[in-house]
């Protein structure tokens, strides 16, 4: 699979300059597209998909060794989609809680970062079809004996990304939520004994313990809630969402999604 990689800022700026040189009377960029749409998919820069992601959320979006090339399950999936759509990719990395602000401000065309679909988000954003299905789990220090389910989180402290589905579940169970930027901070606090638990998806836990088999953490309970994770878009990206859905369907049919699931998790996690 050939991968679409980040364009330089210089190329992006050149694309903007070329767009500005279109027909001044009609507002067209010379190819029949309006300046407002920018491309067939409503992209700001013709042929360039700007992707917002954390870059610190292993195994979905991370830098190998902390400084290597951006990689991960979500990165491979969005690059496979971009290849289907004949688009180059420009990544913009930021903290989880800033991703949606970036989407609303138009800095990204799409978020690729295991965004869970929920009614609150559906009221504000558009979503592709899910490409990951993962049950939630309560993760605890391995010597904890008084947490075996959601009801036991009442009065306990959990480490969560504040705007995540898992954070809302922990808060709803009566936990005091300590805000973190992502899993890496949450598990560090857990291992240090500074929080009682964290609620997250099982795939993240399994990947972490595979890489850190001596980590003193364990799953206390699996939740009934399963996270349906998809690409998130602004409300003006209907055409782009449709194109993503068609590409994802093709990637499911040709086995690419199953192959990527096997690569990172040892199983197809797309359904």
């Amino acid at each position: 699979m050939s991968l679409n990689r980040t364009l330089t800022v210089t190329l992006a700026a050149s694309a903007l300059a070329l767009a500005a040189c279109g027909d001044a009377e009609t507002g067209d960029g010379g190819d029949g597209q309006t300046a407002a749409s920018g491309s067939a998919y409503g992209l700001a820069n013709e042929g360039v998909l700007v992707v917002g992601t954390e870059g610190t959320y292993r195994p979905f979006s991370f830098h190998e060794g902390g400084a290597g090339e951006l990689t991960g399950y979500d990165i491979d999936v969005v690059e496979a989609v971009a290849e289907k759509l004949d688009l180059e990719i420009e990544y913009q990395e930021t903290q989880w809680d800033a991703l949606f602000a970036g989407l609303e401000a138009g800095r990204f065309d799409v978020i690729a970062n295991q965004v869970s679909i929920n009614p609150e988000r559906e009221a504000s954003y558009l979503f592709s079809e899910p490409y990951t299905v993962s049950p939630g789990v309560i993760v605890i220090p391995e010597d904890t004996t008084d947490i075996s389910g959601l009801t036991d989180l009442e009065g306990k402290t959990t480490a969560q990304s504040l705007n995540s589905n898992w954070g809302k579940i922990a808060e709803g169970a009566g936990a005091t939520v300590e805000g973190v930027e992502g899993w890496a901070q949450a598990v560090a606090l857990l291992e240090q004994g500074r929080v009682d638990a964290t609620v997250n998806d099982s795939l993240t836990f399994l990947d972490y313990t595979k890489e850190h088999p001596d980590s003193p953490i364990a799953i206390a309970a699996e939740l009934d809630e399963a996270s349906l994770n998809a690409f998130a878009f602004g409300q003006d990206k209907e055409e782009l969402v449709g194109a993503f859905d068609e590409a994802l369907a093709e990637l499911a049919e040709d086995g690419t999604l199953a192959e990527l699931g096997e690569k990172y998790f040892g199983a197809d996690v797309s359904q």
Side-chain angles (χ1 to χ4, degrees), residues 73-155:
Y73 176 72
D74 283 47
I75 301 306
D76 282 4
V77 174
V78 77
E79 288 184 345
V81 169
E83 184 176 3
K84 290 279 187 185
L85 302 183
D86 196 26
L87 297 173
E88 298 289 346
I89 289 182
E90 175 186 334
Y91 291 107
Q92 292 196 16
E93 298 178 40
T94 189
Q95 298 172 3
W96 165 261
D97 292 332
L99 285 173
F100 291 98
L103 193 65
E104 292 167 4
R107 294 200 301 272
F108 320 136
D109 297 308
V110 59
I111 297 174
N113 206 91
Q114 288 294 294
V115 179
S116 299
I117 302 172
N118 63 31
E120 181 181 353
R121 289 181 185 147
E122 286 183 303
S124 301
Y125 311 102
L126 300 179
F127 287 90
S128 69
E129 289 297 314
Y131 59 93
T132 316
V133 179
S134 177
V137 291
I138 300 173
V139 184
I140 57 173
E142 61 184 3
D143 58 355
T144 298
T145 59
D146 60 348
I147 298 176
S148 59
L150 274 178
T151 57
D152 297 323
L153 293 182
E154 185 169 2

Side-chain angles (χ1 to χ4, degrees), residues 28 31-32 49 53 63 67 74 85 92 110-111 142 158-159 179 190-191 194-195 204 218 240 242 246 256:
D28 286 350
D31 60 355
L49 182 71
T53 191
H63 292 270
D74 283 47
L85 302 183
Q92 292 196 16
V110 59
I111 297 174
E142 61 184 3
T158 69
L190 201 63
E191 290 173 335
R194 294 167 59 187
V195 296
T204 300
L240 184 59
E246 289 182 14
T256 299

Side-chain angles (χ1 to χ4, degrees), residues 18 32 34 37 42 44 46 60 62 68 85 105 128 130 133 142 144 151 189 213 216 233 236 242 252 270:
L18 288 172
T34 65
S37 66
E46 179 70 41
F60 304 106
F62 67 101
L85 302 183
S128 69
V133 179
E142 61 184 3
T144 298
T151 57
L189 293 176
F233 308 80
D236 62 338
S270 65

